[in-house]
């Protein structure tokens, strides 16, 4: 201890540990009901850090204190608030993630407002049959400002002075996966209208209720909203806009005590690709809007082969939605939620490659990962091939 007392590094070690201890005590004082829990996971690392300083000396003690601080922060990020009487609005609850999330949160004891596109549809009927009376169904087309306002009035009447704890902007459309040049402008507009403008409309409308509770805004983006992926120009652009909106809102709403998170899942089986009837309609619209020279350059077999990608999508996707549901629950209840969640296999690695590696390497990686045998007609000719060498 003599060597520790005479060392500037030792005093730094003591200062860090003392600051850490004061922070923990302040947290316990603010939340007396959880004092025992706070002390259980936090005070022990402090004592361990002091013991390390006393026995290992200043240098190793500092390392021990840093390790204690990091482990405590990690444990703190895993600490969840009680469900209590928290109310959450979920959009797009007819099918997929929204449907599963409504059941999941209802089972945990949340008061759930499940917004559905069709209040008389099979998804809404299943929620009525399987969920508790705490769950309320709302007719909610998020592109319809009147329905959004009506939903706000119904929710505000029920939550009254307590406010709304969470809004999960889940509703979304995929569009027809095809080269960006081929997609009709209507596909771009529809994706932006639902995936971005609809989410913004809902967020802006319900923020007064979130402000009352100092609650959470959770936006369901996509891996395609963080990295460029071939054939997802319309969908990816709309989700990228939603991700940027989430980031800005996270910064701006922090002064109100509202926490904002974006979810970037990898491939999960949600049914977002739609039905065969919808594919036929989208394919017809795509073909009818193509200029003759573009149609000639790509070729009929390439264009007609685009639709074959849609039935294969579920085979590449995970049917287990648990990672996504767990991420949303953490965003809703964690004392220190993350700003970005990447649930699912392969969701984080492409994002890291895109952010930290040269773009040519990322493009090479994506080409290999999403390789396809389909080649436009013009690129099969010797003349076109020689131009691209």
């Amino acid at each position: 201890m003599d060597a520790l007392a005479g060392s500037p590094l030792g005093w730094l070690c003591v200062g860090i540990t003392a600051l850490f201890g004061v922070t923990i005590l302040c947290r316990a004082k603010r939340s007396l009901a959880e004092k025992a829990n706070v002390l259980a996971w936090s005070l022990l690392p402090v004592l361990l850090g002091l013991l390390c300083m006393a026995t290992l000396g200043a240098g190793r003690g500092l390392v021990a204190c840093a390790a204690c601080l990091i482990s405590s922060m990690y444990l703190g990020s895993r600490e969840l608030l009680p469900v209590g009487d928290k109310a959450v609005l979920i959009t797009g609850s007819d099918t997929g993630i929204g449907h599963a999330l409504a059941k999941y949160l209802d089972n945990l004891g949340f008061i759930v407002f499940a917004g559905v596109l069709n209040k008389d549809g099979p998804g809404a009927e299943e929620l009525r049959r399987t969920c508790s009376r705490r769950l309320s169904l709302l007719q909610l087309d998020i592109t319809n400002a009147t329905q959004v306002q009506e939903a706000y009035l119904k929710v505000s009447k029920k939550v009254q002075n307590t406010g709304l704890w969470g809004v999960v902007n889940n509703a979304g459309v995929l569009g027809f996966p095809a080269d960006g040049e081929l997609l009709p402008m209507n596909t771009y507009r529809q994706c932006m209208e639902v995936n971005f403008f609809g989410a913004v409309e809902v967020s802006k409308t319900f923020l007064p209720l979130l402000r009352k509770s100092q609650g959470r805004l959770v936006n369901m983006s996509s891996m395609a909203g963080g990295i460029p992926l071939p054939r997802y120009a319309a969908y990816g652009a709309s989700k990228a806009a939603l991700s940027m909106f989430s980031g800005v809102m996270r910064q701006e709403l922090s002064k109100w005590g509202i926490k904002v998170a974006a979810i970037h899942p990898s491939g999960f089986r949600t049914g977002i690709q739609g039905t065969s009837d919808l594919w036929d309609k989208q394919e017809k619209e795509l073909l009818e809007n193509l200029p003759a020279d573009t149609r000639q350059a790509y070729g009929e077999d390439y264009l007609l082969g685009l639709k074959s990608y849609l039935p294969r999508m579920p085979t590449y996707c995970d049917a287990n939605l648990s990672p996504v549901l767990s991420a949303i629950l953490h965003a809703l209840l964690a004392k220190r939620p993350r700003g970005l969640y990447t649930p699912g296999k392969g969701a984080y690695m492409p994002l890291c490659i895109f952010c930290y590696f040269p773009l040519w390497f990322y493009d090479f990686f994506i080409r290999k990962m999403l390789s396809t045998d389909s080649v436009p007609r013009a690129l099969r000719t010797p003349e076109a091939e020689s131009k691209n060498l």
Side-chain angles (χ1 to χ4, degrees), residues 48 60 110 152 168 172 185 197 225 276 328 388:
L48 181 60
R60 293 177 182 176
F110 282 88
Y152 170 78
V168 181
M185 286 305 299
F197 291 121
S276 57
I328 297 172
N388 288 275

Side-chain angles (χ1 to χ4, degrees), residues 196-237:
F196 178 60
F197 291 121
V200 173
E201 177 91 26
V202 170
S203 300
K204 284 170 59 64
T205 301
F206 284 88
L207 272 175
L209 297 182
L210 292 182
R211 198 167 8 252
K212 283 184 179 180
S213 63
Q214 294 187 324
R216 309 292 169 89
L217 175 62
V218 181
N219 292 319
M220 184 62 62
S221 184
S222 166
M223 187 167 70
I227 58 174
L229 293 174
R231 294 188 175 180
Y232 291 102
Y235 176 76

